[in-house]
Amino acid sequence: MATKKEYFDFLKKYHEELLKNYEQSLKDWERRMETADSFDPLMVPVACALVEGFLYHVTGIKDYAEKARESMLIYQELPGRVPGRMKSMKKYAKGIRPTLNWFGGITLFLRAYEFIKDSGVIRPGDREVFEQIVGNSLEPFFSFPEW
């Protein structure tokens, strides 16, 4: 069984790998969106937010909390990064709203928020943006177009 130090060191290394590959992951996602039929946000930002939030929780280093906040807010920007072809699709006539990648993304996002909510890095308006992102993400679970 891994020790706490080994586990912590693994998480720090995982975080470093996420950051090292972040820009490439974003470029790959943008390329996928060129031919995709639906807006499908990438998981890397929320994975970063979760690890950063946990690292803040364990160490108390506020920089980790700030990075988690920034990683969470990326989801607000993603709809603006999709190609015009997708924005002009009939199903997105009212716009593409910021969402997370289905239920897995939602649970990671909420946990990351729990880790940093009392850190002092949440700025006025952030909570509303987070609520909007989560609300938009949950909507498909409670939508039954076949009814």
Side-chain angles (χ1 to χ4, degrees), residues 68-87:
R69 176 191 162 274
E70 291 168 6
S71 293
M72 294 167 73
L73 289 172
I74 288 293
Y75 286 93
Q76 182 182 20
E77 300 171 15
L78 292 179
R81 297 181 85 151
V82 299
R85 177 194 66 78
M86 183 173 284
K87 292 176 185 176

Side-chain angles (χ1 to χ4, degrees), residues 127-141:
R127 182 179 164 92
E128 291 80 14
V129 170
F130 297 155
E131 287 175 357
Q132 178 188 38
I133 292 168
V134 171
N136 292 341
S137 303
L138 287 171
E139 189 176 302
F141 290 102

Side-chain angles (χ1 to χ4, degrees), residues 64-114:
Y64 285 126
E66 183 60 42
K67 288 178 182 176
R69 176 191 162 274
E70 291 168 6
S71 293
M72 294 167 73
L73 289 172
I74 288 293
Y75 286 93
Q76 182 182 20
E77 300 171 15
L78 292 179
R81 297 181 85 151
V82 299
R85 177 194 66 78
M86 183 173 284
K87 292 176 185 176
S88 66
M89 289 179 171
K90 186 177 179 179
K91 64 181 167 184
Y92 296 122
K94 294 181 181 179
I96 300 173
R97 297 179 300 163
T99 60
L100 298 157
N101 192 317
W102 294 98
F103 202 69
I106 296 167
T107 56
L108 299 179
F109 192 89
L110 292 173
R111 189 64 178 141
Y113 177 77
E114 283 293 315

